[in-house]
Amino acid sequence: SCNEPVLLVGETGTGKTTMLSRMAGLVGANLVSFNLSQQTDSSDLLGGFKPVEPRDALAPLLPTFTSLIRRTWTRGNNDEYLSRVAKLAERRKWSQLLAAFRGALSKLHDAGLVTTTTSGTATSGAATPAGAGDAAAAEAAEAAAEKGGKPAKKRRVAGSQQQPLSESLRHEWRVFSADLAAAERAAAVAEGGFAFAFVEGVLVQALRNGWWLLLDEINLAPAEVLERLAGLLETAGGDSAAATGGSVTLLERGDTVAVPRHPNFRLVAAMNPATDAGKHELPAALRNRFTEMWVPEPAAREDLAALVAAYLAGVGPAPPVDAAVEFYLAAKAEADARLVDGAGQKPAYN
């Protein structure tokens, strides 16, 4: 609730991932988990240039476009308009989808609300979203766009003037305009075969869309990957963090501004203690920016019995829950007292 980055530390099997998944489900958040390793590259998280088709360049912009439309034109019902735009993507009508994107930007540009980035493509015939009371006009415009013609002249409806936009929403539209111009260029090249375009990684997608991101086994990641995560931890808590800090800039793509951070984005990292084989401590400068929580192993018999019962559900009429719990506790006691593995170390049971 405080929008702080959290570091969960605990042995394997203590329920770190399960607990976070349960919490995300309770609040309706989309949880995305990414396992880090010694082979992880920063491009795996942030994205990189990959061969794409027109679909790959334009389709990823649709969720962002839908969110921006709903937050910009709040007084009109744009569900039918957005449904038509989504159908363009489903039917692979990329030129009409591009026209719909450009149409919304053109409407904002004409109203002096947003300065857009162009790539030389005209926007005539593009459908535009509905203001308060002109959904029918937008429907006619969309139908005209699908037929390749010009939209019918929309009648002005009292009260349909656009309200002033917040600076953060203007910034998101400007970023969308730049992303659209880049996607448009890639799609134009891809029409003749294939082209390379920047495909955003899971970290950037989570930032934009307000997902919860779990970076598991963070103490296995190379130093270069950890350095790129530092930008997310610069500012903690409050609306100012979502607006001005705690983000990343995609220098690989040539960006000069940070990726807009959705207010619902949450970052959680998880790791086993550094005493485990192959694990090492996080750099202190990075670790201190997290709110760190130790996740202990369940020790109460009631908790252990609940876990065992869940695993053995449906195994015979009377699963041996109590026997499994007794064996587990006895094995841990023997490990603490005298058991050793082939390397002379105490075995760890969980």
Side-chain angles (χ1 to χ4, degrees), residues 161-204:
Q161 287 80 6
Q162 174 60 38
Q163 296 298 311
L165 302 184
S166 66
E167 182 54 37
S168 61
L169 193 55
R170 287 171 179 258
H171 174 67
E172 289 187 54
W173 272 113
R174 288 193 292 268
V175 172
F176 176 81
S177 177
D179 291 344
L180 178 59
E184 187 175 358
R185 291 191 296 269
V189 176
E191 289 288 353
F194 79 94
F196 283 88
F198 193 92
V199 179
E200 294 180 345
V202 63
L203 172 59
V204 178

Side-chain angles (χ1 to χ4, degrees), residues 333-340 346-347:
E334 289 290 306
D336 290 337
R338 60 189 180 88
L339 292 182
V340 294
K346 290 184 177 181

Side-chain angles (χ1 to χ4, degrees), residues 16-33 210-214 264 266 268:
K16 300 184 293 294
T17 303
T18 303
M19 175 184 66
L20 191 63
S21 176
R22 176 63 173 160
M23 291 175 60
L26 289 172
V27 300
N30 181 26
L31 174 65
V32 180
S33 179
W211 302 341
W212 287 17
L213 178 63
L214 170 62
N264 293 335
R266 296 293 184 273
V268 181

Side-chain angles (χ1 to χ4, degrees), residues 103-309:
L105 286 168
S106 177
K107 188 171 185 179
L108 289 170
H109 184 269
D110 292 344
L113 298 174
V114 174
T115 302
T116 59
T117 303
T118 63
S119 60
T121 301
T123 58
S124 62
T128 55
D134 63 348
E139 179 179 349
E142 179 62 32
E146 289 194 28
K147 296 177 181 179
K150 294 184 177 180
K153 183 176 181 181
K154 294 188 292 185
R155 60 186 177 86
R156 182 173 295 277
V157 180
S160 66
Q161 287 80 6
Q162 174 60 38
Q163 296 298 311
L165 302 184
S166 66
E167 182 54 37
S168 61
L169 193 55
R170 287 171 179 258
H171 174 67
E172 289 187 54
W173 272 113
R174 288 193 292 268
V175 172
F176 176 81
S177 177
D179 291 344
L180 178 59
E184 187 175 358
R185 291 191 296 269
V189 176
E191 289 288 353
F194 79 94
F196 283 88
F198 193 92
V199 179
E200 294 180 345
V202 63
L203 172 59
V204 178
Q205 295 179 44
L207 265 174
R208 288 189 185 278
N209 300 315
W211 302 341
W212 287 17
L213 178 63
L214 170 62
L215 299 179
D216 209 358
E217 307 284 5
I218 190 172
N219 56 336
L220 286 179
E224 178 254 347
V225 174
L226 297 177
E227 289 175 4
R228 295 305 304 271
L229 295 176
L232 288 172
L233 312 174
E234 288 180 356
T235 310
D239 294 337
S240 61
T244 62
S247 187
V248 294
T249 302
L250 297 176
L251 302 176
E252 296 87 347
R253 189 169 61 181
D255 290 3
T256 57
V257 295
V259 176
R261 176 171 175 153
H262 195 286
N264 293 335
F265 171 75
R266 296 293 184 273
L267 177 66
V268 181
M271 58 179 270
N272 301 129
T275 53
D276 288 3
K279 309 295 174 65
H280 53 78
E281 292 285 1
L282 278 181
L286 187 72
R287 189 166 185 166
N288 291 339
R289 297 181 182 181
F290 283 96
T291 298
E292 184 172 335
M293 296 182 177
W294 171 254
V295 183
E297 295 182 75
R301 288 179 178 270
E302 295 79 6
D303 294 337
L304 295 171
L307 287 173
V308 174

